[in-house]
Amino acid sequence: MIGKRGKATLLLYMIFLAVLFLMCSTDLIIREPEKEIYQIAVIIEDSRDDNYGSFRKGMDQAALELNADVRFFTLYEKLDADQQMELIGREQQDGADALIVVPADEDRVVDALAGHQVTVPMVLLGSGLTGEGVTGTVVVDYGKMGELLGQKMAEHMDEHRTVLVFSDPSAQSGASRRFLEGARTVMEEEGILCRLVVRDGEQGFKPFTESLDAEGQVLILAESPEILAETAGILAELPDLSRRVSLYGRGSTLPVLNYLDRGLIRGLCVTDEFSIGYFSVGMAVEALETAGTRSSAVMDSWYIEKDDLRDPAYEKMLFPIE
């Protein structure tokens, strides 16, 4: 039998367990404070732009690891600077802790920063802007990318010394302009003539492409991923011509990679879009956690052909897993 002393000890033990249970089930115990979730607004030109899928996956991965909530916004018109500035202002008012922006108009962004209209950290993508208010930059040197592609095209050419450059000046971005300048500089130094072919309104490049001589070799350089995919799609409908055309460009959307795999595109320049998205979120969070921190990253470019799609290194970069 349990004596009075034992009963008292048992009662005290039960009371202790009951108090401990209450403390664990309420806020009586000091708990580790929850980490703040950083609100980051991403304002880009167009979700259909080259490599958006991999770019988004990189951002989502960084957000998961760094305790961030990333909200995406795209412009109704690709280069609508007015709408972009409205979104920047609205997102700040709605509580965004940081912004990640692909500038539609770099001058407008500079003016906003100089005028202190941007009051939260801002990371810029695809822009070399630096100075007051710029938290970080993640850029691709499109000029060097164009030089790399120009060198590869020059190596592949024999007696063919003319390249058709498919361009759309009305929708040309800074990236496309720098890319073409790099490629044309290298090829012209090699004595290769670059002939400009401008988009024909709503008909695009189809009338010109269909008029090409199917008996001769043709080399085409597309200035943007969109034009590259469009041209490859036209060639897919013209098998006799496609066998005599060597098509080159930049970007790594799934349609572009599929056309490369089918042999309708000869060579591509690509970047690691997953890492661009990942680094940009990392820079924004770092700026929030360490006031005044500024950083920059210049991404590398690679030239690939059909066989490289099976290379594990490129496969991981071009087809990142969720």
Side-chain angles (χ1 to χ4, degrees):
M1 295 181 65
I2 301 176
K4 291 183 178 180
R5 194 168 186 177
K7 289 180 179 179
T9 302
L10 181 60
L11 179 61
L12 288 174
Y13 180 68
M14 293 177 67
I15 291 172
F16 171 76
L17 290 177
V19 171
L20 184 62
F21 172 78
L22 289 173
M23 292 176 68
C24 291
S25 61
T26 65
D27 292 330
L28 294 175
I29 290 181
I30 298 176
R31 298 181 179 180
E32 182 181 347
E34 294 184 1
K35 287 187 176 181
E36 180 183 359
I37 298 177
Y38 300 111
Q39 302 295 322
I40 301 176
V42 181
I43 304 173
I44 61 176
E45 294 177 344
D46 191 341
S47 63
R48 294 168 297 176
D49 198 18
D50 54 324
N51 316 315
Y52 173 77
S54 296
F55 169 75
R56 175 78 184 253
K57 288 179 182 177
M59 285 197 157
D60 288 342
Q61 182 64 37
L64 181 65
E65 295 178 9
L66 302 174
N67 216 46
D69 179 21
V70 178
R71 305 194 299 267
F72 288 83
F73 301 91
T74 58
L75 306 181
Y76 296 126
E77 297 293 335
K78 189 169 183 179
L79 298 176
D80 190 341
D82 289 335
Q83 189 201 7
Q84 186 170 72
M85 299 313 298
E86 289 176 7
L87 283 170
I88 288 173
R90 188 190 75 187
E91 285 308 301
Q92 289 182 101
Q93 292 179 354
D94 289 349
D97 298 308
L99 300 169
I100 298 174
V101 177
V102 179
D105 185 331
E106 292 187 349
D107 292 337
R108 294 283 296 275
V109 173
V110 169
D111 291 342
L113 292 170
H116 302 288
Q117 298 171 30
V118 179
T119 57
V120 299
M122 175 185 282
V123 176
L124 300 180
L125 302 183
S127 171
L129 292 177
T130 58
E132 182 181 359
V134 179
T135 299
T137 57
V138 184
V139 299
V140 176
D141 191 332
Y142 286 102
K144 284 190 176 180
M145 179 193 285
E147 292 175 4
L148 173 61
L149 187 62
Q151 291 167 359
K152 294 298 182 180
M153 291 181 69
E155 291 174 5
H156 294 159
M157 296 181 74
D158 38 43
E159 74 277 8
H160 311 292
R161 310 303 292 176
T162 300
V163 171
L164 301 175
V165 178
F166 281 16
S167 174
D168 184 1
S170 66
Q172 189 179 68
S173 65
S176 293
R177 184 175 61 256
R178 293 190 291 272
F179 172 71
L180 279 188
E181 287 174 353
R184 294 178 71 168
T185 297
V186 168
M187 289 190 289
E188 288 171 1
E189 288 176 353
E190 295 290 330
I192 300 170
L193 177 64
C194 294
R195 177 187 169 192
L196 188 66
V197 179
V198 176
R199 175 185 293 280
D200 182 12
E202 295 182 357
Q203 297 187 76
F205 298 94
K206 190 169 186 178
F208 179 86
T209 306
E210 290 177 338
S211 69
L212 289 172
D213 182 4
E215 298 301 320
Q217 290 295 325
V218 180
L219 283 88
I220 299 175
L221 170 61
E223 76 170 14
S224 70
E226 294 81 12
I227 293 176
L228 180 63
E230 176 186 344
T231 307
I234 296 170
L235 293 176
E237 300 174 359
L238 303 169
D240 290 339
L241 177 63
S242 65
R243 286 190 286 270
R244 295 176 173 81
V245 170
S246 293
L247 176 61
Y248 298 84
R250 65 180 179 91
S252 57
T253 58
L254 284 177
V256 165
L257 295 176
N258 286 334
Y259 285 133
L260 179 67
D261 193 36
R262 292 170 57 184
L264 294 165
I265 296 174
R266 171 69 184 272
L268 284 174
C269 273
V270 298
T271 56
D272 187 349
E273 292 293 326
F274 180 91
S275 293
I276 290 176
Y278 188 93
F279 289 155
S280 62
V281 172
M283 286 181 183
V285 171
E286 183 181 14
L288 291 167
E289 294 181 340
T290 311
T293 298
R294 296 186 181 185
S295 50
S296 62
V298 180
M299 307 304 294
D300 291 328
S301 299
W302 293 269
Y303 173 81
I304 64 169
E305 295 185 351
K306 177 178 179 178
D307 292 343
D308 296 313
L309 291 174
R310 273 67 183 174
D311 185 312
Y314 291 118
E315 188 176 29
K316 182 179 179 180
M317 180 180 71
L318 297 171
F319 307 102
I321 299 173
E322 294 278 5

